Structure formats: structure tokens, C-alpha cells
Amino acid sequence: MPIRHTAVWIDHEEAKIFQIDRDSFDEKTLRDPHRELHRRPTVAAERTHPTDGEHFYRDVANALEGAEEVLVVGPSTAKLEFIKHVHKHDHALVTKIIGVETVDHPTDGQLAAYARRYFRAADRMK
């Protein structure tokens, strides 16, 4: 069954995927398993293998299967790296992404409310 509205909050360590309807939301968290394995004390954001991020982004893209419209948000560059991954590897998902926004670290409820407002405005523009 297709999921109408899905929001993804993503950084380099995890992705929170929210399936949102008018009155409720379901949240699923994916963590980058390579993040902990390759962490260096002086450079926490550095990956030691170039495909580490690609595996994580592939898992996030796979978790969005069935979504009709996707809003991608996050505090840093991970959201843009994810978009680049989608354009390169997951062409079917490209047309479903309706927005990319910078959002710091909201609570789950705050993110769901933000996404509802965003999707309502997007629906009105159609």
C-alpha cells in the first residue's frame, strides 16, 4: 500500500523516517553501522572507506519504498549527499522527493508537525 507522505530526517549517523498522515505518524530509525566502526577520536565525521556512506544511503532509499512524496530534512550535508546518491542510484525515487530543507534536531513531534505543514502547503500548490 502506498504511503502518501514520508519525511526523512538524516545526518551522518542516522536517518529517521516518518510516515505521516493527518492525525498520526510512524517513525523508523536507521543507524549507519559503519559510523561507529570507523570513528577516529580527532575526526568524528571522517569515513575510512568510500562506500560506507553509500551503503547507508542505499538502506535509507530502500526504506522509502512505497512512499508517494518524500521530504528530506536534516542539519548538515548528509541530506545533500543522500540526494546525490538518489540521483545516481535510485532514479525512481528522484521524482518522489518534493523538498529538501535544513532542520536542526527537532523532537519527533516537532518534525511530524513541520512535515505536515510542508505537505499541506505542497498539496495546496498542486
Side-chain angles (χ1 to χ4, degrees):
M1 173 181 217
I3 301 136
R4 176 96 173 108
H5 294 136
T6 303
V8 178
W9 181 93
I10 189 168
D11 68 8
H12 289 104
E13 296 179 12
E14 69 180 359
K16 292 184 176 186
I17 300 169
F18 292 80
Q19 297 174 347
I20 298 171
D21 63 29
R22 206 173 88 162
D23 301 319
S24 66
F25 65 90
D26 291 321
E27 186 264 335
K28 175 182 179 180
T29 300
L30 300 174
R31 300 198 186 281
D32 183 354
H34 302 287
R35 189 63 168 172
E36 297 299 320
L37 296 175
H38 301 303
R39 184 171 281 182
R40 294 181 185 178
T42 56
V43 184
E46 184 175 330
R47 296 177 188 278
T48 59
H49 194 275
T51 62
D52 288 352
E54 291 299 312
H55 292 290
F56 175 54
Y57 298 140
R58 182 196 63 223
D59 293 344
V60 173
N62 289 340
L64 295 173
E65 187 175 331
E68 291 181 8
E69 294 182 331
V70 178
L71 170 63
V72 180
V73 299
S76 183
T77 59
K79 64 186 171 296
L80 302 176
E81 293 168 12
F82 175 67
I83 295 298
K84 287 179 186 177
H85 168 86
V86 168
H87 278 270
K88 188 174 180 181
H89 300 287
D90 297 294
H91 304 287
L93 187 56
V94 171
T95 59
K96 296 177 182 183
I97 296 175
I98 65 166
V100 180
E101 298 286 332
T102 299
V103 175
D104 196 17
H105 290 81
T107 65
D108 291 353
Q110 289 171 328
L111 181 57
Y114 178 88
R116 278 188 191 101
R117 285 190 306 272
Y118 190 95
F119 287 123
R120 250 191 322 267
D123 288 345
R124 281 193 308 262
M125 288 196 289
K126 291 181 184 175

